[in-house]
Amino acid sequence: MSDKEQDKTANKDEQWREELDPEQYHVLREKGTERAFTGKYWDLKDDGTYHCAACGEPLFSSETKYDSGSGWPSFYAPADKDSVGELADHSHGMVRTEVVCQNCGSHLGHVFPDGPQDKTGLRYCINSASLDFKKEDSQE
Ligand code: FE
């Protein structure tokens, strides 16, 4: 990474520290996990789109949200297959697949193969803190 690119990343980090609240920063930028049943969206059933809380990219639609019983917002598919990226995660003695915002690289959660069988069979287990919900009728 060049000095210039390093500066850019440092500036971006500074900006995120200012714009995000401490929990959002911890989850998005330090790969934290909110406690189950404490986030603002796990039980939300409104129609709309869930955007990346760090960069605003649309990530998940309420159309694929379902009640997984986990206490985290759960989706069986991303809004667009290119909107989220997947990375191997070997932390905490587990082998998991981390899900990140493809646009800004922020941590969102994990994807597990125990989702609804009549859909994709996938469970995108996402932190509320990583998301910014926009209601359907307020999207213009
Ligand atoms: Fe993002």
Side-chain angles (χ1 to χ4, degrees):
M1 199 186 276
S2 72
D3 284 357
K4 210 176 165 186
E5 281 170 337
Q6 238 159 24
D7 283 353
K8 225 171 120 184
T9 306
N11 288 342
K12 193 76 207 165
D13 189 66
E14 212 166 281
Q15 195 186 328
W16 274 322
R17 279 191 188 276
E18 278 172 25
E19 289 175 358
L20 302 172
D21 70 38
E23 185 178 30
Q24 285 178 318
Y25 184 87
H26 177 60
V27 173
L28 286 158
R29 305 308 310 166
E30 301 175 330
K31 303 185 189 297
T33 301
E34 72 199 13
R35 283 190 299 128
F37 302 102
T38 65
K40 52 185 172 176
Y41 297 140
W42 69 271
D43 202 23
L44 186 70
K45 295 177 177 73
D46 293 353
D47 292 338
T49 306
Y50 294 83
H51 296 248
C52 175
C55 75
E57 190 77 1
L59 298 178
F60 295 96
S61 163
S62 59
E63 283 171 32
T64 64
K65 192 173 190 286
Y66 73 101
D67 183 8
S68 67
S70 69
W72 290 283
S74 302
F75 305 87
Y76 60 77
D80 184 298
K81 65 174 169 43
D82 298 325
S83 58
V84 305
E86 296 184 5
L87 301 168
D89 175 8
H90 296 269
S91 66
H92 304 289
M94 293 178 270
V95 180
R96 295 180 293 172
T97 304
E98 181 190 357
V99 180
V100 298
C101 172
Q102 195 75 282
N103 186 49
C104 74
S106 290
H107 175 76
L108 305 173
H110 291 87
V111 58
F112 300 97
D114 57 6
Q117 285 307 318
D118 57 333
K119 306 290 185 190
T120 60
L122 297 173
R123 171 171 61 101
Y124 289 80
C125 183
I126 307 300
N127 291 279
S128 296
S130 298
L131 299 173
D132 184 20
F133 178 72
K134 290 194 170 66
K135 259 196 162 182
E136 199 132 273
D137 50 20
S138 66
Q139 278 186 57
E140 289 121 56

